[in-house]
């Protein structure tokens, strides 16, 4: 059952927050939806946004300034939480890079994480299906984007489920998690030490094995003043993989912009326009 937590009228549409009992996670999960006014009269495209470390289902809706544009472009926006919460797993609290708030959009295979940390199946299957069932969203017009850990999530889920997401873009994504400290910590805890499992959850490694998976292109924005750019994000690894896979990529590097939502808000319109163009109205 879908519980409505809050609804706010915004830009002619409704900003809503929901809770439900997730089958995949085995615990209650919360997510947010911006319903554009156009949804009342026709099926609309839907865009899933995956947030980064320390964020939750509310961060994007508060900080990105996306609702006015979503009304203008007639797109529904959905933002899940970044991990299961209140799992009782030892070590899940107290480290912002692991556990609560740091689910990395994968299905953990290693105990104790494997009991609840199933964010890949949660987002790509359960939540996507729930949104299509409950709301006036068009199954043929589903896109995904995200920031940082959520940028990794967007690229990962799009590459692993190309039948479920037609368009993909990212802000400052962790582009090759198996090659950076954040990814090392997450993968060793959630996936164990098998190199093959790491490769199967690394967007750059996955891309190398594909042939033009998204022929209409991928958009990535990256700030050159981003404090995490050098050690954690590695966009050039993804660019190289796209070259190898014949994948059109627009990688825009922006002088002076950092990792924050001020950067995201500055370029959010281009992302909505990018997805709207691929998905159609
Ligand atoms: N807590 C970390 C920063 C974490 C961080 O920058 N998180 C990004 C995603 S990786 C974010 O979106 N934070 C929420 C915000 O800026 O509102 C620190 O203090 O260095």
């Amino acid at each position: 059952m879908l519980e409505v937590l809050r609804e706010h009228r915004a830009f002619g549409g409704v900003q809503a927050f929901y809770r439900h009992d997730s089958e995949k996670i085995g615990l209650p999960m919360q997510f947010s939806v911006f319903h554009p006014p156009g949804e009342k009269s026709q099926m609309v495209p839907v865009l899933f946004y995956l947030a980064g470390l320390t964020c939750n289902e509310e961060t994007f809706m508060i900080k990105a300034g996306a609702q006015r544009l979503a009304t203008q472009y007639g797109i529904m926006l959905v933002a899940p939480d970044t991990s299961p919460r209140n799992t009782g797993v030892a070590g899940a609290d107290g480290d912002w890079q692991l556990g609560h708030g740091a689910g990395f959009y994968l299905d953990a295979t290693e105990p104790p994480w494997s009991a609840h940390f199933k964010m890949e199946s949660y987002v790509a299957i359960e939540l996507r299906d729930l949104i299509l069932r409950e709301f006036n969203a068009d199954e043929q017009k589903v896109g995904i984007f995200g920031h940082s850990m959520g940028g990794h999530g967007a690229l990962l889920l799009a590459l692993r489920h190309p039948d479920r997401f037609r368009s993909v873009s990212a802000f400052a994504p962790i582009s090759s998690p198996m090659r950076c400290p954040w990814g090392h910590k997450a993968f060793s805890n959630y996936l164990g030490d098998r190199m093959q499992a790491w490769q199967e959850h690394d967007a750059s490694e996955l891309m190398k094995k594909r042939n033009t998976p998204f022929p209409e292109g991928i958009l990535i924005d990256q700030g050159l003043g981003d404090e995490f750019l050098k050690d954690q994000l590695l966009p050039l690894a993804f660019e190289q993989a796209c070259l190898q896979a014949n994948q059109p990529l627009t990688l825009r590097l922006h002088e002076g912009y950092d990792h924050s939502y001020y950067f995201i808000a500055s370029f959010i319109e281009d992302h909505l326009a990018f997805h709207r163009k691929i998905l159609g109205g």
Side-chain angles (χ1 to χ4, degrees):
M1 201 195 71
L2 196 54
E3 184 186 350
V4 182
L5 298 174
R6 289 187 284 134
E7 286 183 327
H8 309 275
R9 176 56 60 97
F11 297 97
V14 177
Q15 176 63 59
F17 293 87
Y18 300 96
R19 177 165 51 210
H20 69 128
D21 290 322
S22 164
E23 210 179 287
K24 301 282 187 196
I25 301 277
L27 288 167
M29 288 293 284
Q30 294 187 185
F31 63 91
S32 61
V33 177
F34 177 69
H35 298 280
E39 186 189 336
K40 286 189 217 107
S41 53
Q42 62 180 46
M43 292 229 281
V44 291
V46 55
L47 195 45
F48 285 77
Y49 177 88
L50 308 182
L53 294 165
T54 72
C55 296
N56 61 29
E57 74 281 3
E58 200 177 18
T59 317
F60 172 75
M61 298 302 184
I62 294 176
K63 293 188 164 186
Q67 289 90 345
R68 181 177 60 79
L69 301 161
T71 287
Q72 189 182 318
Y73 288 99
I75 296 180
M76 184 189 301
L77 299 171
V78 178
D81 202 349
T82 53
S83 77
R85 302 283 172 176
N86 305 308
T87 57
V89 169
D93 276 323
D95 181 346
W96 62 279
Q97 303 173 19
L98 190 71
H100 300 149
F104 272 81
Y105 304 102
L106 52 75
D107 286 357
T109 53
E110 298 301 297
W113 309 102
S114 49
H116 298 295
F117 285 74
K118 302 283 185 191
M119 288 301 285
E120 176 178 356
S121 345
Y122 174 65
V123 174
I125 298 170
E126 183 174 5
L127 183 60
R128 181 185 176 280
D129 291 354
L130 179 153
I131 295 292
L132 295 174
R133 192 171 62 240
E134 296 283 337
F135 306 124
N136 208 11
D138 189 335
E139 185 171 11
Q140 306 303 321
K141 298 178 180 175
V142 183
I144 191 163
F145 69 150
H147 169 232
S148 197
M149 173 183 75
H152 141 76
L155 298 171
L156 179 74
L157 298 190
L159 283 162
R160 285 170 62 91
H161 304 272
D163 52 328
R164 294 182 157 256
F165 300 102
R166 258 188 64 199
S167 56
V168 56
S169 73
F171 299 96
I174 303 174
S175 301
S176 186
M178 60 183 281
R179 294 186 182 79
C180 77
W182 279 342
H184 265 240
K185 184 183 266 190
F187 283 11
S188 54
N189 278 278
Y190 297 147
L191 301 173
D193 54 14
R194 280 184 315 116
M195 195 44 55
Q196 194 190 335
W198 287 34
Q199 286 169 343
E200 285 166 2
H201 294 83
D202 183 289
S204 298
E205 290 301 311
L206 285 172
M207 178 58 81
K208 280 187 210 165
K209 299 194 181 77
R210 303 288 196 274
N211 182 18
T212 329
F214 292 90
E216 289 158 294
I218 294 175
L219 171 64
I220 294 182
D221 277 310
Q222 173 65 57
L224 290 174
D226 185 324
E227 56 275 37
F228 300 116
L229 173 56
K230 200 167 128 291
D231 295 334
Q232 305 282 11
L233 305 175
L234 316 176
L236 301 186
F238 190 71
E239 185 181 47
Q240 188 58 41
C242 285
L243 268 174
Q244 218 167 303
N246 234 346
Q247 169 62 49
L249 169 72
T250 304
L251 171 61
R252 306 193 302 185
L253 304 174
H254 303 282
E255 198 65 51
Y257 285 87
D258 63 18
H259 198 64
S260 71
Y261 271 80
Y262 296 107
F263 156 65
I264 296 173
S266 303
F267 299 103
I268 187 73
E269 179 159 17
D270 295 348
H271 285 250
L272 264 58
F274 169 82
H275 287 271
R276 184 65 160 72
K277 187 157 176 253
I278 294 174
L279 300 173

